[in-house]
Amino acid sequence: MGPSRRHDVVVIGGGVVGITLARALSRYQLDIVVLERDAEVGFGVSKANSGIIHSGIHADPKTMKGQLEWPGNEGWLRLRDDLGFGFAQVGELLVALSDGELRTVEHLHDQGERKGVPGLQRWDVDRIRKHQPNLSRDIIAALWAPTAGVINPYEAVLLIADNAAANGVEIATEQPVIAIDPPDPHEPDGPLTVRTPTRTLVTRYVVNAAGLRADEVARMAGVGTFTITGRKGEEYLLDKRLAGLVTSVIFPCPTPTSKGTLVIPTFDGTIMVGPTAEATDDKDDTATTPEGAQAVFAAARRLVPVISQRDVIAEFAGVRAVAEGDDFILGPTARRGFINAAGIQSPGLTAAPAIADHLVEVLRDEGLELRERSDWRRRAEHPVRFSVLSTQEQEELAAQQPDFAKLVCRCELVTKAEVLDAIDRGARTLDGVKFRTRAGMGRCQGGFCTWGCLELLAERRGIPITEVTKRGGASWILRDREDAHAAPTPGS
Amino acid sequence: MPITGHPRHLQDGYDVVVVGTGPAGMAAALGARDQGADRILLVDRDADPGGILLQCIHSGFGLHAFDEEITGPEYAQRYLEQVLEHDIDVLTDAYVMDISPERRIKLMSPTVGITGLDARSVVLATGARERTRGAIHIPGDRPSGVMTAGLAQRMVNLDGYLPGRRVAILGSGDIGLIMARRLALEGVEVVGVFELLPHPSGLMRNVVQCLDDFGIPLHLSTTVVGIHGRHRLERVTVAPVDDDLEPLLARSWDLDVDTLLLSIGLIPDAELARELGVLFDPVTGGPVVSGIMETSLPGVFASGNVVHVNDLADWVSRESRVAGEWAGALASGARRPAEDVRLIPGDNVAYVVPHTISRDGTHTVSFRVRQPIYAPTLLRVGEVHQRKVRAVVPAEMVTLKLAPQMLEGWTGAVLRIDAVPAEAVVR
Ligand SMILES: Cc1cc2nc3c(=O)[nH]c(=O)nc-3n(C[C@H](O)[C@H](O)[C@H](O)COP(=O)(O)OP(=O)(O)OC[C@H]3O[C@@H](n4cnc5c(N)ncnc54)[C@H](O)[C@@H]3O)c2cc1C
């Protein structure tokens, strides 16, 4: 496609930061495009994290992280009210096991209060035991922060993206940015040209929200002033049986590089333990390791002794994007119109709504006129989740539309109508359908529904079933028969 | 294959509703008809009746039920023809959402929407599902190309696609063994089957016919310890294990494969039974059943793989016939036999099905051993019966027939089943 239209803002990266910003901008009269490299939005680290919306006690208020953490938490409450994804303020309990840690607890209590985090309380052993009876008997005191919460990060990102799209934002997937052209020498402050293998976009502003690759994107724009390194975190989900083991997020005292290994009651009700924090040279390294598992379980057992590695039912890893200085890099650059949202390490998920608000102000300062739209739709039209409807609602839907009476995933009770709707909303891959509908997330892990989802994806998208992938790229799922005898293609 | 569709009129009430149309469900429906049940309904969530048999296009079925060796679809076809001849309603594409303890069944299907119907008896014949990667915790990446052997079987046999070009198989369950051969015949390279235990978990005949005959190596006491590939699977790391089944990582090696099939066991798909709150056997993972295959909830029967994983469809059909006959008989007003004898697993026996029996009935008792004994073995049923067999292995279910005369004069309440080396028995 040629550069026929001139955009106002091109956001590079469809993670929580890019998507939340696009949605925040969608209330103004602007032409906005999000370019995402992967086949689905939110499939970077925004999907592979602990899912905690922090209370705001942790980060140093002198840093950007520290300033945007608590406002981010408040921002999530507003987003939830608008869009209705799951976000439960289950609270966090930061525990001390020694006198040294007690001092950390005191320090964070103090810091939290100075930052305006509400409801902080120091708990003694009796109180801890009463609320969280499964915690270690070695815990001597704790800091209670009631506003911390848990969300399903992928659900949130997808709903925010749907709402942005409903308000006219174009979300283009499988669009890796490969070049940002140097400006016309006659017009150094003129528009920027952004290229992907298949598109060229001309835009007044570019926001670099490319996560782990934000340094490369900044270099493309000629403003490579920082480098991003990876810090990997492994997470382990435990059997549903253990639901209720803890009812708030349990934190140990932090170390300089990490908040430590947590015991998390996820929004879905399962218990998750993690993450680790290991520097990695390979930003795409999301493999779990035996050493990681060992570290996580040793640390988790310090907090909740009954936790065992035998209860693992799923595991994953995410990589934090860490910039020099260990803080977020937010703001304009020497290249006019090119704005960074880089180095968004933890607590990036928490801070995302506040990062978005901050960047809207940055864009305004840089000259972007923000005129409110009269037709902005604050609320999202929700995908129907059949399994949570009342019997009467289910019966009515099924009577009106036979696709609601056709089951696709039996563990999570997902119907054909929901899968088709997910595809219409932009799911392009098997994982895209899974994270939108939950088909394949249940106890049989897709054994039953994979085939049905593949067929529906192929049919609805009008492609051969062999072209449907798990999550884009080379993640093919099946081959034609004739291919067995053909020479393997390199790299597959 | 003539597939029935949907009964023209779903009746509001049935004598017997059977959930599942695999070998268990169809045999149960026929059993119910034999016992004079009038209105019988078979329900299945899939579009075609037959259950897992439809994707088992290999032979090896029917040796016991029909005295000849036929394929899975043929086996299903024979049962289906009888089902249709006997005027049994078949509703496919219909998912049973819920069953109440009063046996009101709620189901959904595109043809009838969400509907409730009452049954005098219910037979749960919902089969088993495969264990997945989550059940065994293999570290590494999460690429495409790691799937259960059953899913691969469906791709190849029902839809004509291939799961990949170079395949390793973890676990020596029967589906994995059968798929090794199936893929080899399709020109796919099968680099080996890796089994954690020191003995295969599938039938010996499958090890010979599916691996040995095709030169596919079976690595016992070996497991997969790493999965590599960002998008598609590229490599797996395998390692031998020690006597405690702990991997010896120093002796690991890598295999370039684009596909890893998991054949690491089946578990009863007993969610409906679980939601009904019936008693379960922690070893089988299925409901506890009586000698007439009734669960702890009166009027709710269960049979086939939903009760315990069988290695032959023929056994499933036989056991399900009993379930169906009694479901039908009870629906027609018969009285259930008094069951006051408990069967419990003893030496080297993992589980026994059924869990109770009556003294005056003839029963087939099924069980599995824990450890293989490759020597003459004595199978003992308390003090009332014993039989010598040449060998026993966990992969092969053992069955014994108990007749009323064996229990004559015996007044106990518990029969312990043992499987011990014949020599070791001091008499
Ligand atoms: C294990 C772990 C646990 C965490 N837990 C928490 C937590 O509990 N709470 C919390 O607040 N934070 C947490 N974090 C941090 C949080 O996940 C991140 O800060 C946040 O998700 C970053 O969002 P993002 O949008 O910047 O990055 P991403 O989600 O990575 O988005 C960047 C996107 O840019 C795309 N992209 C890259 N290059 C290009 C290109 N050239 N062209 C187009 N697109 C491109 C990528 O494909 C990606 O989708 C955790 C992180 C880890 C690793």
Side-chain angles (χ1 to χ4, degrees), chain A residues 289-468:
Chain A
T289 62
E291 301 75 36
Q294 223 162 41
V296 163
F297 283 90
R301 269 197 298 273
R302 264 183 87 229
L303 307 179
V304 185
V306 302
I307 285 177
S308 150
Q309 201 174 329
R310 267 197 300 275
D311 294 317
V312 173
I313 52 159
E315 53 199 80
F316 63 87
V319 183
R320 305 167 186 86
V322 180
E324 293 98 342
D326 223 18
D327 199 2
F328 300 160
I329 299 175
L330 298 172
T333 62
R335 168 77 58 236
R336 210 196 110 65
F338 185 88
I339 288 150
N340 278 322
I344 312 296
Q345 53 162 297
S346 194
L349 179 68
T350 306
I355 292 174
D357 291 346
H358 180 82
L359 290 174
V360 169
E361 291 316 311
V362 169
L363 283 161
R364 193 198 301 272
D365 291 347
E366 292 297 298
L368 180 67
E369 319 80 68
L370 300 175
R371 277 195 304 274
E372 300 242 359
R373 289 169 49 164
S374 55
D375 59 347
W376 186 58
R377 281 184 275 172
R378 171 184 293 278
R379 289 181 203 285
E381 204 178 304
H382 255 244
V384 173
R385 183 157 289 170
F386 186 80
S387 65
V388 302
L389 298 180
S390 71
T391 305
Q392 197 196 336
E393 290 168 318
Q394 289 181 341
E395 285 173 4
E396 281 168 15
L397 266 182
Q400 287 156 12
Q401 298 176 50
D403 282 350
F404 274 112
K406 170 70 184 151
L407 187 90
V408 175
C409 162
R410 52 86 197 269
C411 302
E412 299 285 331
L413 199 67
V414 181
T415 61
K416 181 178 172 188
E418 292 164 88
V419 174
L420 291 178
D421 177 59
I423 299 168
D424 292 345
R425 283 169 183 263
R428 302 176 60 76
T429 64
L430 204 54
D431 278 359
V433 167
K434 171 171 156 181
F435 284 97
R436 276 184 170 79
T437 64
R438 304 186 63 80
M441 282 194 182
R443 65 189 96 77
C444 91
Q445 294 284 302
F448 177 70
C449 68
T450 297
W451 191 263
C453 291
L454 283 175
E455 282 186 329
L456 290 173
L457 271 161
E459 201 183 295
R460 197 68 154 195
R461 294 187 51 205
I463 55 172
I465 203 164
T466 45
E467 277 175 28
V468 181

Side-chain angles (χ1 to χ4, degrees), chain A residues 282 284 286-288 309 313 315 405-406 410 443 448 451 465 471 474-477 479-481 484, chain B residues 45 93 109 129 132 134 137 140-142 144 154-156 159 161-162 165 182 186 230 232 269 271:
Chain A
D282 178 354
D284 295 322
T286 54
T288 53
Q309 201 174 329
I313 52 159
E315 53 199 80
K406 170 70 184 151
R410 52 86 197 269
R443 65 189 96 77
F448 177 70
W451 191 263
I465 203 164
R471 54 164 171 268
S475 65
W476 55 274
I477 295 167
R479 285 291 193 227
D480 275 322
R481 253 205 178 105
Chain B
R45 63 184 181 216
D93 235 345
S109 108
R129 65 168 184 268
T132 59
H137 165 66
D141 295 314
R142 285 156 304 283
S144 67
R154 124 145 245 172
M155 272 180 195
V156 178
D159 301 282
Y161 295 99
L162 297 177
R165 301 194 193 88
R182 185 76 188 90
E186 286 288 342
R230 299 280 154 82
R232 177 73 192 194
D269 211 341
E271 253 21 77

Side-chain angles (χ1 to χ4, degrees), chain A residues 66-363:
Chain A
Q67 284 159 33
L68 298 178
E69 195 177 25
W70 165 238
N73 182 310
E74 290 182 299
W76 279 107
L77 276 180
R78 283 193 300 273
L79 278 174
R80 177 187 67 183
D81 290 346
D82 287 351
L83 304 178
F85 48 78
F87 168 31
Q89 283 185 316
V90 296
E92 70 169 73
L93 203 56
L94 180 109
V95 301
L97 287 99
S98 68
D99 288 340
E101 293 189 344
L102 209 52
R103 280 189 291 281
T104 309
V105 165
E106 278 160 7
H107 164 70
L108 291 174
H109 191 165
D110 216 45
Q111 173 166 301
E113 290 203 320
R114 272 187 283 121
K115 285 163 77 179
V117 177
L120 299 181
Q121 281 176 355
R122 170 77 172 268
W123 281 12
D124 63 14
V125 173
D126 287 344
R127 185 104 190 246
I128 296 168
R129 212 154 281 172
K130 183 161 153 259
H131 289 269
Q132 303 293 343
N134 297 314
L135 295 198
S136 162
R137 298 285 144 140
D138 297 335
I139 291 169
I140 52 175
L143 173 60
W144 167 242
T147 50
V150 286
I151 66 172
N152 270 341
Y154 49 86
E155 186 204 0
V157 172
L158 289 169
L159 279 174
I160 297 168
D162 283 356
N163 183 237
N167 282 306
V169 172
E170 184 197 350
I171 297 177
T173 53
E174 293 184 307
Q175 292 295 335
V177 171
I178 49 172
I180 299 170
D181 292 351
D184 187 335
H186 304 296
E187 208 190 341
D189 287 343
L192 297 162
T193 304
V194 179
R195 292 183 194 280
T196 74
T198 53
R199 289 179 67 169
T200 300
L201 297 93
V202 176
T203 178
R204 294 167 59 211
Y205 295 91
V206 170
V207 177
N208 172 17
L212 287 159
R213 300 245 140 35
D215 51 350
E216 292 166 27
V217 169
R219 277 201 298 277
M220 291 178 204
V223 284
T225 53
F226 58 90
T227 47
I228 300 285
T229 52
R231 195 185 285 151
K232 180 161 98 173
E234 300 182 25
E235 309 262 14
Y236 293 82
L237 275 157
L238 307 183
D239 196 284
K240 274 211 167 100
R241 202 164 43 73
L242 296 175
L245 190 64
V246 298
T247 52
S248 299
V249 184
I250 310 300
F251 280 74
C253 279
T255 69
T257 51
S258 132
K259 299 190 186 68
T261 294
L262 324 176
V263 182
I264 306 158
T266 66
F267 187 81
D268 284 339
T270 43
I271 299 287
M272 184 161 84
V273 291
T276 52
E278 287 296 323
T280 165
D281 297 336
D282 178 354
K283 294 175 184 176
D284 295 322
D285 175 12
T286 54
T288 53
T289 62
E291 301 75 36
Q294 223 162 41
V296 163
F297 283 90
R301 269 197 298 273
R302 264 183 87 229
L303 307 179
V304 185
V306 302
I307 285 177
S308 150
Q309 201 174 329
R310 267 197 300 275
D311 294 317
V312 173
I313 52 159
E315 53 199 80
F316 63 87
V319 183
R320 305 167 186 86
V322 180
E324 293 98 342
D326 223 18
D327 199 2
F328 300 160
I329 299 175
L330 298 172
T333 62
R335 168 77 58 236
R336 210 196 110 65
F338 185 88
I339 288 150
N340 278 322
I344 312 296
Q345 53 162 297
S346 194
L349 179 68
T350 306
I355 292 174
D357 291 346
H358 180 82
L359 290 174
V360 169
E361 291 316 311
V362 169
L363 283 161

